[in-house]
Amino acid sequence: MHPLWETRDVVLEVVSLLPKADQARIARVNTALWEIAIPWIWRDVPNIRYIFQLLPLDLWNETIDPLTPAPKPPRSRELQDSDWSRFLFHSNNTRTTTYTTGDLRKIVPPQIWSHRLFSTSFPNLRRLFVTILDSVSEGPIDIVPLLLRSSLRSIEFWVEEPSSESILFSALGTITQNKTLSIEDMGFKFVRNVGASSGAIAQAIASQTSLRRLELNGYTDVAHLAGSATELPLLEELEVHGMFAEVPEINYTDLSFRSLRTLIAVGRPEMIHSLLRCIGSDRLAKVALTFTSWRSEMQIHPELMAELQRFRPHLAHLQLTVDMKLLWGALEPVLALAELQAFHLEYLQFGSDLITDDQLGHMIDAWPNLTQLRLEVSPPRVTLASIACIGTHCPNLRKLALTFDARKTSNSLAPREVDTSHSSENALELLDVMESEFDEGDEERLSNILRSWWPKAHLCRSDGDLRTSVHWDIDEAPHWPGATESPSSPETSVN
């Protein structure tokens, strides 16, 4: 064997980067590699059933695999300490796993849960995902409370539609009463809105004073939280997904959350506006808002955007996704956020003059520290004149994505009219032209123009249907204009 494989630190780094199938192959090479690979194989387990399958087969009540013939009836014997060896060894390595209600009810013998050694399992469990299907009977044993470990730092509930007898409530009650838990990340996702659970959720949240990130299913949950958890001293990120027809039952005026740095909110404009008003922190650095409405006549008002000015001078990253009527006048208050470094606007309504050359010029003048700009607005109303203005007025811009009109009939700008003397000083690393419009066969000429303005930038054209899969930080973004790209124009990897 090559001496490289005898250097433990190197092998650890290599194994950590491999997919599980390759980790399993390495584990079969020899004992030394087995000892290194096994903890990684069992570190993240997609289904907790796989761990329980490590118990002796003659303890199982029924087979897990429906294609496998049913096993013989379980032997009539006491559970021995030796039966736990493999289960405990591998569960000690598990950091993340998922449990779905009903998965273990029939296949795990009841004596497993009450055995003294079960309480010693999963001592290093950090993240637990719980899927609750209330249409599936859990049986006489509430399993979720039995999986709560003092090492747990993140727990997320995905609930179909809990009834009053849902195991969600027993799990929340255990979290509230368990004084050994120190959860830092909690999430609640419901297929349907269930206001009856809000009070129990708020109590469970309030009991976790170490909480740093919180994801809630609706604004009713936020309303309940205002009364029972007005101060979570370490909370840094709040994410709220509102329902279309949801109307909070409780009026709230102050959520405190003095340490909040990141806010993600989805819902109707009036819900988001109320949330912004009651946030106690004035130090928000990142805000992502998604506006939705089932009423076509509803629109966003300037007063809502003006509420963001309260978070100056700390607000540096702003993302807006709008699926309703939006006029430029409603966006104008955002121009007052002079410290803004990243702005992303996705407007899902087609056929708008929302962003024109004039509006883009106002953005450039208002945000001198801009490093990232992404404008997803169709059809394009921005021309090459504005693109050139970005090149000369935004030397700190590193990533730019926007749709513009580069057709000759829409542009009177010639390349010689743009001062490129300072082009080498531009910091732009990535330019995504998205769904920009060009004259047929003119892409290569335009790409040369853009490269003369941003010689260090990587040019690409992301697919509109796959836009969410194209990340700004990838090293191998799609090229533009493809095969015609000049080899004399070196690319810079985006890290």
Side-chain angles (χ1 to χ4, degrees):
M1 186 169 64
H2 193 281
L4 173 69
W5 295 101
E6 298 177 0
T7 308
R8 184 176 178 84
D9 292 342
V10 174
V11 177
L12 273 171
E13 185 66 24
V14 171
V15 171
S16 68
L17 299 174
L18 294 176
K20 285 192 180 297
D22 292 334
Q23 291 173 346
R25 294 186 183 98
I26 283 183
R28 290 194 288 266
V29 173
N30 57 37
T31 302
L33 292 178
W34 183 90
E35 292 177 350
I36 293 176
I38 282 296
W40 285 100
I41 294 173
W42 291 95
R43 185 182 183 91
D44 300 314
V45 182
N47 193 319
I48 201 171
R49 292 173 61 171
Y50 300 145
I51 305 176
F52 280 89
Q53 284 180 280
L54 296 170
L55 290 165
L57 292 178
D58 61 353
L59 292 174
W60 296 86
N61 290 339
E62 66 178 38
T63 181
I64 293 178
D65 187 355
L67 300 180
T68 303
K72 296 179 180 179
R75 297 174 185 172
S76 178
R77 65 174 176 85
E78 293 293 330
L79 189 64
Q80 305 297 319
D81 288 358
S82 58
D83 295 331
W84 291 87
S85 56
R86 293 179 66 219
F87 176 86
L88 293 177
F89 178 80
H90 293 302
S91 70
N92 286 352
N93 296 313
T94 302
R95 302 291 190 275
T96 303
T97 191
T98 299
Y99 168 67
T100 301
T101 55
D103 270 3
L104 304 176
R105 179 176 62 87
K106 293 183 178 180
I107 58 178
V108 178
Q111 62 265 35
I112 293 291
W113 307 110
S114 58
H115 197 280
R116 58 181 177 81
L117 289 179
F118 179 76
S119 61
T120 66
S121 63
F122 303 104
N124 299 306
L125 187 63
R126 303 281 295 183
R127 301 187 70 189
L128 178 61
F129 297 91
V130 181
T131 300
I132 299 178
L133 306 174
D134 281 285
S135 59
V136 179
S137 174
E138 183 70 354
I141 300 175
D142 289 337
I143 296 176
V144 176
L146 299 176
L147 297 175
L148 300 178
R149 298 288 186 265
S150 59
S151 60
L152 201 62
R153 294 295 177 268
S154 175
I155 185 167
E156 180 177 308
F157 293 94
W158 187 94
V159 188
E160 187 177 28
E161 187 178 9
S163 62
S164 57
E165 293 81 21
S166 173
I167 67 167
L168 172 66
F169 297 107
S170 62
L172 294 175
T174 303
I175 291 175
T176 303
Q177 298 170 11
N178 193 327
K179 304 303 180 183
T180 65
L181 291 177
S182 185
I183 297 176
E184 299 176 357
D185 186 340
M186 294 183 74
F188 300 89
K189 299 178 180 179
F190 300 128
V191 174
R192 297 178 181 85
N193 192 21
V194 282
S197 65
S198 297
I201 288 176
Q203 292 177 11
I205 292 171
S207 68
Q208 301 304 309
T209 57
S210 298
L211 206 61
R212 295 183 179 274
R213 180 187 176 276
L214 175 62
E215 180 178 351
L216 294 173
N217 189 70
Y219 293 84
T220 301
D221 293 336
V222 178
H224 281 273
L225 189 60
S228 60
T230 56
E231 188 64 51
L232 293 173
L234 302 179
L235 190 67
E236 297 177 350
E237 180 176 334
L238 175 63
E239 183 171 348
V240 185
H241 292 261
M243 303 290 183
F244 275 149
E246 182 185 18
V247 178
E249 300 173 355
I250 302 174
N251 293 322
Y252 50 95
T253 56
D254 185 10
L255 283 176
S256 295
F257 298 159
R258 307 298 181 191
S259 58
L260 203 65
R261 297 291 181 271
T262 301
L263 175 65
I264 302 171
V266 179
R268 303 204 310 264
E270 66 272 21
M271 291 180 174
I272 294 178
H273 196 180
S274 297
L275 181 63
L276 290 173
R277 284 199 300 262
C278 74
I279 293 293
S281 173
D282 59 357
R283 303 178 65 86
L284 280 177
K286 296 181 180 181
V287 174
L289 306 177
T290 298
F291 300 97
T292 59
S293 175
W294 73 95
R295 291 164 51 192
S296 58
E297 71 275 9
M298 185 175 289
Q299 60 180 292
I300 299 174
H301 298 288
E303 294 79 12
L304 193 161
M305 294 300 174
E307 196 69 40
L308 294 170
Q309 297 175 11
R310 184 164 62 87
F311 306 117
R312 290 189 61 192
H314 304 284
L315 185 57
H317 299 260
L318 178 61
Q319 177 176 332
L320 302 175
T321 303
V322 183
D323 190 12
M324 56 188 301
K325 186 176 181 180
L326 178 65
L327 301 177
W328 171 253
L331 280 179
E332 280 190 300
V334 176
L335 298 178
L337 304 174
E339 298 81 12
L340 211 60
Q341 298 176 20
F343 181 70
H344 177 186
L345 172 63
E346 181 180 8
Y347 187 49
L348 302 177
Q349 302 287 326
F350 186 82
S352 168
D353 292 334
L354 180 62
I355 303 296
T356 64
D357 285 341
D358 290 339
Q359 278 82 40
L360 186 55
H362 293 321
M363 292 180 180
I364 295 170
D365 293 337
W367 304 324
N369 301 319
L370 206 61
T371 61
Q372 297 183 18
L373 178 63
R374 188 178 188 93
L375 302 175
E376 299 185 51
V377 181
S378 294
R381 302 294 187 221
V382 173
T383 65
L384 283 175
S386 290
I387 307 301
C389 186
I390 294 176
T392 56
H393 289 76
C394 300
N396 299 318
L397 195 65
R398 296 178 57 243
K399 297 171 184 177
L400 173 64
L402 78 168
T403 299
F404 55 90
D405 187 350
R407 294 173 299 177
K408 293 179 181 178
T409 56
S410 304
N411 290 271
S412 58
L413 178 72
R416 62 180 179 274
E417 299 177 30
V418 180
D419 182 10
T420 60
S421 59
H422 299 288
S423 296
S424 60
E425 301 175 6
N426 289 333
L428 196 71
E429 299 173 354
L430 180 63
L431 171 60
D432 184 356
V433 301
M434 298 199 294
E435 299 175 83
S436 298
E437 296 182 353
F438 314 101
D439 292 319
E440 185 176 356
D442 200 33
E443 288 90 343
E444 184 174 3
R445 182 187 71 88
L446 290 170
S447 69
N448 291 331
I449 293 176
L450 296 175
R451 286 193 176 89
S452 70
W453 299 342
W454 292 294
K456 302 176 184 178
H458 174 90
L459 269 62
C460 73
R461 183 185 182 111
S462 59
D463 188 327
D465 295 333
L466 302 175
R467 187 68 44 76
T468 55
S469 66
V470 178
H471 301 287
W472 287 13
D473 294 332
I474 58 177
D475 293 330
E476 299 180 359
H479 294 268
W480 182 81
T484 59
E485 185 170 12
S486 172
S488 61
S489 301
E491 297 171 4
T492 302
S493 296
V494 181
N495 298 316

